[in-house]
Amino acid sequence: MGKLFTGFTKVTAYPIELMVFRTKFLYEDKSVQSRKIKGPAIIVSNHTSVYDFAQMMQAFFGRHLHCLMADILYRKKMMSWFLNQLDGIKISREGKNFSFIEKSVDILKKGGVIEIYPESRIPEPKEETPLEFKPSAAYIAILSGAPIIPVYTDGNYFGKGRAHVMIGKPIIPSEIIDPSLEMNKNIEILTNHMRNKVIALRDETNNQKEQKKV
């Protein structure tokens, strides 16, 4: 049911997104990672607004995304129903329930795609961004072995210009972590690596925008 509902939502929303987002897609290396995803993957992106999820559905139109979402979004009955139909994965912000990790790993081992915003919330005005990344994405990546696709979005969804989304080359967890170290240390290493990659994608996006290449 989730895939059918999500597919219907994508198709009906796509024309609207084209008009209001006017997205320009950029790539660190398109020959390595384009908008097509083969096999399991973890999409990791900075968080700018509630419209990020819609943007990612447009960006990776061909895959069914299971997005990790804060439990606060499920408090209203209608919204909870909608997010469940989209196969969203509920996260407890208070850290009382970690079943989302097991569920995420299971989806990845079956070849699915997980979408995570490691900042865990939308930054406040004037906060340095991206915010510190939470460890859940790295933990899921290490347990599943799935590649991580780093993404940066400038969040300019309704501006006079256009939204820019840069897709980075996949991060392979086994190439970053050290088997001789404890799990907590490897989580820290991989978490920092992901955040630094998103920052690098942000800087390259801004550089191209300044040069008026995009």
Side-chain angles (χ1 to χ4, degrees):
M1 179 63 180
K3 287 186 178 181
L4 290 175
F5 185 85
T6 302
F8 174 78
T9 302
K10 284 182 179 181
V11 171
T12 54
Y14 195 75
I16 300 173
E17 292 171 352
L18 287 177
M19 291 186 291
V20 299
F21 294 167
R22 299 181 62 245
T23 308
K24 175 68 176 180
F25 292 103
L26 309 172
Y27 306 89
E28 183 180 12
D29 186 343
K30 192 174 182 179
S31 66
V32 177
Q33 182 61 63
S34 65
R35 292 166 63 191
K36 295 181 180 179
I37 301 176
K38 296 181 180 179
I42 303 170
I43 299 172
V44 168
S45 176
N46 63 307
H47 204 8
T48 68
S49 78
V50 295
Y51 299 104
D52 291 333
F53 177 58
Q55 174 67 94
M56 290 303 152
M57 284 202 300
Q58 180 192 36
F60 301 101
F61 192 83
R63 292 301 302 269
H64 182 56
L65 309 183
H66 298 264
C67 185
L68 275 64
M69 303 175 180
D71 52 4
I72 190 174
L73 298 175
Y74 288 80
R75 291 180 180 176
K76 293 186 178 180
K77 188 174 181 180
M78 189 63 191
M79 179 60 75
S80 177
W81 176 86
F82 181 71
L83 297 180
N84 283 326
Q85 295 306 306
L86 292 176
D87 282 339
I89 301 174
K90 183 165 63 172
I91 304 176
S92 170
R93 278 189 169 178
E94 297 179 357
K96 295 181 178 179
N97 188 336
F98 295 96
S99 62
F100 71 92
I101 293 178
E102 183 179 355
K103 184 174 183 179
S104 298
V105 171
D106 183 59
I107 289 171
L108 291 165
K109 287 188 176 296
K110 291 178 180 178
V113 179
I114 298 295
E115 176 186 354
I116 305 177
Y117 298 94
E119 292 170 280
S120 80
R121 66 175 176 84
I122 299 170
E124 297 289 341
K126 297 184 179 181
E127 278 190 302
E128 182 178 353
T129 59
L131 302 175
E132 178 183 353
F133 277 17
K134 303 300 182 183
S136 298
Y139 191 45
I140 291 170
I142 293 173
L143 290 178
S144 67
I148 302 161
I149 301 176
V151 177
Y152 171 75
T153 174
D154 63 8
N156 189 28
Y157 303 136
F158 298 92
K160 293 182 179 179
R162 59 192 307 183
H164 294 79
V165 173
M166 177 166 278
I167 300 170
K169 294 185 291 185
I171 299 169
I172 309 302
S174 61
E175 297 178 356
I176 306 301
I177 64 175
D178 184 344
S180 67
L181 298 177
E182 295 183 355
M183 173 66 92
N184 287 343
K185 185 60 179 179
N186 275 321
I187 289 174
E188 179 184 348
I189 291 172
L190 186 55
T191 297
N192 290 334
H193 185 85
M194 288 189 293
R195 183 173 183 272
N196 289 335
K197 173 56 72 173
V198 170
I199 290 173
L201 295 177
R202 177 199 66 191
D203 293 346
E204 178 58 25
T205 299
N206 291 336
N207 180 53
Q208 292 192 32
K209 288 164 67 175
E210 289 175 3
Q211 294 180 11
K212 297 184 179 179
K213 291 183 179 180
V214 294

